[in-house]
Amino acid sequence: MKQILILNGPNLNLLGKREPEIYGNRSFVDYLQTVELVFPDIQIRYFQSNHEGELIDKIHELGFSVDGIVINAGALTHTSIALADALSAVTAPAVEVHISNVHARETYRHHSYLSAKCRGVIVGLGLMGYELAVRYLLSLGV
Ligand code: DQA
């Protein structure tokens, strides 16, 4: 069975409560159930942490065995060379997702250290971005 790792970074545990005008009203745990229904034949491994090192540890732990990584590193996207290095270090292809259109927001959100380490980037499509990223990774047929 194929496995896809979905990684969420800081503050994304508050989806549904956090700035709903930007991030919507739905919790990620609720949305994840939809993703699992859409892709019944794969195993979704989900991990969220507010701590950079824990995200890096999870990439190290699963990044050589899963078929793909969907990563929304939250604000660490814009600051973390260490997370970018972790994505480079492992074999699984990754897709970067942002719920909001970061390019329509503050300029400090326009740069990502992760994008160059990912196959592609999905921004501004809301939670649907995660589903599209999973679909793309499965299409790679790895
Ligand atoms: C985000 C965008 C980031 O700039 C922000 O820090 C987040 C969420 C998004 O999904 O739109 O925490 O990654």
Side-chain angles (χ1 to χ4, degrees):
M1 185 185 264
K2 287 193 173 183
Q3 290 189 22
I4 300 290
L5 171 63
I6 298 181
L7 271 182
N8 271 344
N11 301 305
L12 292 166
N13 53 310
L14 294 182
L15 284 178
K17 296 180 188 156
R18 171 193 185 197
E19 297 177 279
E21 66 285 0
I22 297 176
Y23 299 112
N25 294 303
R26 199 162 178 196
S27 76
F28 197 80
V29 173
D30 182 52
Y31 172 67
L32 199 54
Q33 291 179 346
T34 304
V35 178
E36 283 167 344
L37 284 176
V38 173
F39 301 103
D41 299 331
I42 65 163
Q43 188 183 6
I44 304 279
R45 308 283 300 261
Y46 173 60
F47 183 73
Q48 188 278 330
S49 177
N50 295 321
H51 305 281
E52 185 176 20
E54 287 187 356
L55 294 165
I56 292 167
D57 287 345
K58 190 56 73 175
I59 292 170
H60 292 179
E61 181 193 333
L62 296 179
F64 292 96
S65 57
V66 293
D67 297 291
I69 300 171
V70 179
I71 182 163
N72 182 350
L76 291 172
T77 304
H78 317 299
T79 62
S80 179
I81 296 169
L83 264 180
D85 283 351
L87 289 176
S88 292
V90 300
T91 51
V95 173
E96 177 181 350
V97 169
H98 298 287
I99 297 162
S100 66
N101 181 356
V102 285
H103 300 293
R105 300 180 65 192
E106 300 94 331
T107 50
Y108 60 80
R109 296 185 201 277
H110 296 181
H111 177 260
S112 165
Y113 282 104
L114 308 187
S115 299
K117 312 299 181 187
C118 293
R119 296 291 181 104
V121 183
I122 299 172
V123 304
L125 303 187
L127 290 172
M128 190 191 287
Y130 290 88
E131 191 183 320
L132 296 172
V134 171
R135 196 173 292 284
Y136 169 76
L137 288 166
L138 293 176
S139 80
L140 294 176
V142 286

